[in-house]
Amino acid sequence: MSNYHIKHLEEYFQVYRKSVRNPEAFWEEIAEEHFVWRKKWNNVLSWDFSKPEIKWFEGAKLNITENCIDRHLPTRGDKTAILFEPNDPNEEAQHITYRDLHERVCRMANVLLDQGVKKGDRVCIYLPMIPELAVAVLACARIGAIHSVVFAGFSSSALAARINDSDCKIVLTSDGSYRGSKTIDLKGIVDKALDNCPGVKSVLVAKRINTDIPMKDGRDHWLQPLLDEAYADCVAEIMDAEDPLFILYTSGSTGKPKGMVHTTGGYMVYSAYTFKNVFQYREEDVYWCTADIGWITGHSYIVYGPLANGATTVMFEGVPSYPDFGRFWEVVEKHKVTQFYTAPTAIRALAKENLEFIDKYDLSSLKVLGSVGEPINEEAWHWYNTNVGKKNSPIVDTWWQTETGGIMITPIPYVTPTTPTYATLPFIGIQPALMDEEGKELKGKQVSGRLCIKYPWPSIARTIWGDHDRYRDTYFSAYKDMYFSGDGAFRDAVGYYRITGRVDDVVIVSGHNLGTAPIEDSINEHPAVAESAIVGFPHDIKGNALYGYVILKEVGESRNRENLAKEINQQITEHIGPIAKLDKIQFVSGLPKTRSGKIMRRILRKIASKDTSNLGDTSTLLNPEVVEEIINGAL
Ligand code: ATP
Ligand code: MG
């Protein structure tokens, strides 16, 4: 029997050792026992990081939707697969059973086939968090089309760039979307994007907000009538394990978007196995990940991972602040959510609000809390642990990337003792290494370096769509025979990993490498501070000095700014040392963020070094207006 579900620390170490001693044998056993294949592989793994070329389960045949849907029908047909919670709390939630899901996916798949979509074609999905989004993703997988989901908060120019990069002929969208008290004209954004996308021949439009919108003759079609007419069963296309399943663009914190390509077999095995263990998922649980399906977190841990385990996965259309800041907790109580997975940006935003919004609700159903997307600062970690988890639900701080397809470094809840700000231990099968700038591996404990992975895992991205050279240069050229993540990390005395931020964000001050995350962590602990971001700027003597952008909790904070700045530096001196003191502190009302809520330090770096002539691609910014404000107030 394979070790599909790890239950205690001893077992973790034992399975981990097994998984790295003989990775092929380990993953073969997992793949064989827990998934349905139409044909078994000829070879478990072949790889060469110098090309790079990675193949898992070569020769195997399968369809991932048979694993995520069909195989559950005999035993879980009436179980809720997707629990849809709408933006408006007064609109009824929808329980989509595995049987319903099967029918809806088959109908959608037939509609796509009728539109001429074939195996290997790219389909752009630009939909809000409504059931059609998950259904469309699975329908593509059903017929072997490659989905490219673009987060429906991206602008028309960002959408056009992504459609053209992957040469999509068809776009799925909706008449509009709800976002808190606002409605967004999604179809209008698509129309504008398509002015620059000559390759798109058809647009399928789901109805969500029921507004009158222009439909272009011959190109645009309402989706529902087509679904109604479509046949309710659809034979699954038999795919090769290494056939592409999807393209997903990275969130765009650092520059031109990269279309990461994930393939079918390995991705399925790893997303499902990590889901089971990282969330300690059990049959009767109700699991909720608040991410959007437009991000990798939503692909792996709203759709594929949970459904491959026959889970009930919540899909939430709304935002944490609507109708008030208690919405998350209202939903947890209402659906008796057992696992709750969100991002530090959401936690920090909610931590600014009154605790009344939480205390009103019964959160006793919760067993596991998760965090992903950025380093979670210590204060936010404690707030989450105390107020949401009531110190009863372990927090899994999961480090991973669009490129990795699944969670890489993480505690296993009730198994790995947690420490705030530490992602703790590598997941089963993951072999991390910390490297110095000269290319030497830093072995041993209490070391900081660049975080690399030494050996392939099943869900590693296989290439960047249309640009294999960029894939090699970005991830495999820094260190021989290693995948380089671009992030820095510290390994402590017990072997726990702490992610210190992107390597680009490491600032060398007077010859000392300073990661930005621990300094921000220290600043955020000041009672008046809500959030902060640190960047380096050129300095005559030190080489670089630190510039801090700080958001205060109270807009009208009456205390003297100079004193606050002194206190902040005092705090940094105590926590980290005088070397990490900030030369400049600017108090701001907001920080430039990507649509996934991450701070875009690239822009802050330019402002700090007074180089604002060319700020680069800002099309993925959530709040471009704040950039102007920061430039005007720059020191
Ligand atoms: P781009 O690659 O386009 O700049 P991005 O890196 O933000 O965008 P993602 O793949 O969504 O796109 O994010 C992965 C990155 O998020 C990681 O490389 C890391 O910097 C950060 N990250 C994710 N989870 C964690 C975590 N638990 N702790 C610290 N950092 C994290
Ligand atoms: Mg990245």
Side-chain angles (χ1 to χ4, degrees):
M1 262 293 283
S2 71
N3 305 89
Y4 195 65
H5 191 178
I6 291 149
K7 294 179 210 65
H8 50 83
L9 195 58
E10 200 54 35
E11 189 183 5
Y12 161 81
F13 283 116
Q14 184 202 328
V15 178
Y16 181 78
R17 279 194 296 270
K18 179 170 148 188
S19 74
V20 299
R21 213 178 288 135
N22 191 344
E24 282 89 336
F26 176 80
W27 289 113
E28 174 161 50
E29 210 176 82
I30 296 283
E32 209 148 39
E33 287 179 21
H34 301 281
F35 301 90
V36 293
W37 304 84
R38 290 297 189 103
K39 177 181 167 288
K40 292 280 161 69
W41 41 91
N42 309 320
N43 188 25
V44 178
L45 170 67
S46 63
W47 65 291
D48 179 348
F49 275 174
S50 69
K51 286 184 176 166
E53 187 177 85
I54 305 129
K55 291 182 177 160
W56 281 94
F57 308 116
E58 213 179 342
K61 304 279 183 196
L62 75 155
N63 186 288
I64 195 168
T65 69
E66 291 191 328
N67 282 275
C68 290
I69 308 173
D70 301 54
R71 67 158 155 164
H72 304 310
L73 295 178
T75 50
R76 301 185 177 108
D78 296 321
K79 179 177 176 178
T80 302
I82 295 177
L83 204 176
F84 172 63
E85 173 65 29
N87 178 65
D88 178 355
N90 298 317
E91 187 183 327
E92 226 175 289
Q94 287 177 36
H95 289 258
I96 301 168
T97 65
Y98 274 92
R99 201 180 327 280
D100 299 336
L101 185 63
H102 181 263
E103 181 179 330
R104 290 180 71 162
V105 168
C106 286
R107 284 182 190 272
M108 184 79 85
N110 285 322
V111 168
L112 292 174
L113 289 172
D114 283 345
Q115 292 291 318
V117 177
K118 288 191 263 324
K119 178 175 176 177
D121 287 353
R122 276 78 59 207
V123 174
C124 175
I125 303 176
Y126 186 72
L127 277 165
M129 282 287 283
I130 56 176
E132 284 83 348
L133 170 52
V135 169
V137 160
L138 293 161
C140 287
R142 188 79 174 175
I143 63 172
I146 302 170
H147 55 78
S148 168
V149 182
V150 178
F151 170 56
F154 273 124
S155 64
S156 57
S157 63
L159 172 62
R162 286 159 176 76
I163 289 173
N164 290 331
D165 184 75
S166 50
D167 195 15
C168 298
K169 306 248 169 338
I170 181 167
V171 178
L172 276 80
T173 188
S174 66
D175 57 349
S177 65
Y178 294 118
R179 202 176 158 73
S181 55
K182 287 188 280 202
T183 55
I184 292 156
D185 174 21
L186 275 197
K187 175 64 165 47
I189 297 172
V190 170
D191 287 341
K192 208 166 149 213
L194 294 192
D195 286 343
N196 298 309
C197 303
V200 173
K201 301 293 177 246
S202 54
V203 178
L204 303 181
V205 188
K207 263 208 163 97
R208 178 57 181 146
I209 64 171
N210 294 307
T211 47
D212 208 13
I213 52 160
M215 295 286 280
K216 189 167 167 182
D217 242 10
R219 187 195 72 182
D220 302 350
H221 311 275
W222 289 109
L223 183 58
Q224 196 56 50
L226 301 178
L227 291 169
D228 292 341
E229 279 163 28
Y231 190 53
D233 201 358
C234 175
V235 179
E237 181 78 32
I238 304 307
M239 307 297 287
D240 195 277
E242 280 299 332
D243 279 337
L245 176 64
F246 64 85
I247 301 169
L248 184 64
Y249 292 87
T250 57
S251 76
S253 315
T254 49
K256 183 176 180 280
K258 303 179 279 272
M260 305 312 309
V261 177
H262 283 283
T263 58
T264 308
Y267 175 81
M268 171 182 76
V269 169
Y270 195 76
S271 62
Y273 183 59
T274 46
F275 173 77
K276 177 77 180 170
N277 285 291
V278 175
F279 298 102
Q280 288 286 305
Y281 179 78
R282 285 166 200 274
E283 189 65 42
E284 61 288 351
D285 288 347
V286 176
Y287 161 88
W288 180 18
C289 165
T290 70
D292 192 286
I293 292 176
W295 309 123
I296 189 68
T297 306
H299 279 57
S300 303
Y301 301 113
I302 296 178
V303 181
Y304 289 114
L307 297 178
N309 282 284
T312 297
T313 175
V314 175
M315 202 178 155
F316 176 51
E317 184 188 28
V319 293
S321 54
Y322 178 81
D324 62 36
F325 287 98
R327 186 65 194 279
F328 273 180
W329 323 123
E330 186 243 338
V331 175
V332 168
E333 177 183 283
K334 179 170 160 194
H335 298 303
K336 300 199 168 45
V337 170
T338 43
Q339 288 92 348
F340 178 76
Y341 191 27
T342 197
T345 181
I347 298 168
R348 287 193 295 261
L350 293 170
K352 277 198 268 187
E353 305 302 324
N354 204 308
L355 282 178
E356 274 169 30
F357 289 118
I358 291 202
D359 292 342
K360 282 213 291 242
Y361 298 104
D362 175 9
L363 305 184
S364 60
S365 56
L366 289 170
K367 297 191 292 190
V368 177
L369 303 178
S371 171
V372 61
E374 280 185 293
I376 177 166
N377 53 292
E378 184 147 4
E379 205 189 8
W381 194 98
H382 284 298
W383 185 90
Y384 199 24
N385 184 39
T386 307
N387 300 302
V388 182
K390 320 288 180 201
K391 300 193 172 163
N392 251 328
S393 298
I395 295 175
V396 290
D397 178 358
T398 62
W399 174 81
W400 60 297
Q401 310 177 290
T402 309
E403 296 86 337
T404 68
I407 293 167
M408 302 289 283
I409 301 184
T410 180
I412 295 178
Y414 301 99
V415 171
T416 320
T418 59
T419 303
T421 76
Y422 282 79
T424 74
L425 296 171
F427 188 74
I428 305 301
I430 303 304
Q431 304 186 35
L434 296 179
M435 306 296 292
D436 72 9
E437 268 136 86
E438 275 77 57
K440 212 169 77 261
E441 182 174 352
L442 299 159
K443 302 217 165 136
K445 305 288 163 74
Q446 306 269 34
V447 289
S448 282
R450 296 165 177 231
L451 180 55
C452 293
I453 312 290
K454 290 184 190 180
Y455 199 88
W457 60 100
S459 66
I460 183 175
R462 305 300 197 253
T463 189
I464 291 177
W465 183 262
D467 200 348
H468 197 67
D469 287 349
R470 187 175 181 207
Y471 182 62
R472 186 190 53 232
D473 295 348
T474 310
Y475 306 105
F476 299 93
S477 63
Y479 303 103
K480 193 176 171 326
D481 286 332
M482 298 247 180
Y483 166 83
F484 171 46
S485 68
D487 288 335
F490 168 71
R491 185 170 51 228
D492 77 358
V494 295
Y496 277 13
Y497 289 84
R498 177 187 205 189
I499 311 301
T500 48
R502 293 161 202 272
V503 168
D504 296 346
D505 294 332
V506 167
V507 187
I508 305 175
V509 180
S510 309
H512 296 267
N513 282 335
L514 299 175
T516 49
I519 306 174
E520 287 163 9
D521 222 36
S522 164
I523 299 174
N524 294 352
E525 267 176 51
H526 190 287
V529 172
E531 200 170 0
S532 61
I534 302 299
V535 296
F537 69 101
H539 186 278
D540 289 345
I541 297 153
K542 305 180 188 177
N544 292 290
L546 297 173
Y547 192 121
Y549 299 87
V550 175
I551 306 179
L552 296 174
K553 277 190 187 142
E554 311 274 347
V555 186
E557 167 74 52
S558 58
R559 289 162 61 195
N560 182 296
R561 296 287 189 273
E562 238 167 82
N563 286 345
L564 274 177
K566 270 193 202 130
E567 286 171 27
I568 287 171
N569 265 331
Q570 185 54 37
Q571 201 160 288
I572 295 173
T573 307
E574 277 163 28
H575 291 156
I576 300 165
I579 184 75
K581 280 206 301 201
L582 311 181
D583 270 45
K584 293 183 179 175
I585 299 184
Q586 180 180 353
F587 294 96
V588 295
S589 71
L591 294 165
K593 291 205 173 165
T594 64
R595 307 253 163 190
S596 55
K598 301 183 195 190
I599 300 165
M600 223 195 243
R601 289 184 180 74
R602 174 169 69 76
I603 289 178
L604 295 174
R605 229 172 0 240
K606 289 213 156 191
I607 299 175
S609 30
K610 301 205 186 308
D611 169 21
T612 52
S613 52
N614 177 17
L615 291 177
D617 181 14
T618 52
S619 67
T620 60
L621 271 187
L622 188 66
N623 50 351
E625 69 286 349
V626 82
V627 175
E628 200 62 24
E629 178 210 303
I630 298 178
I631 292 175
N632 291 334
L635 304 169

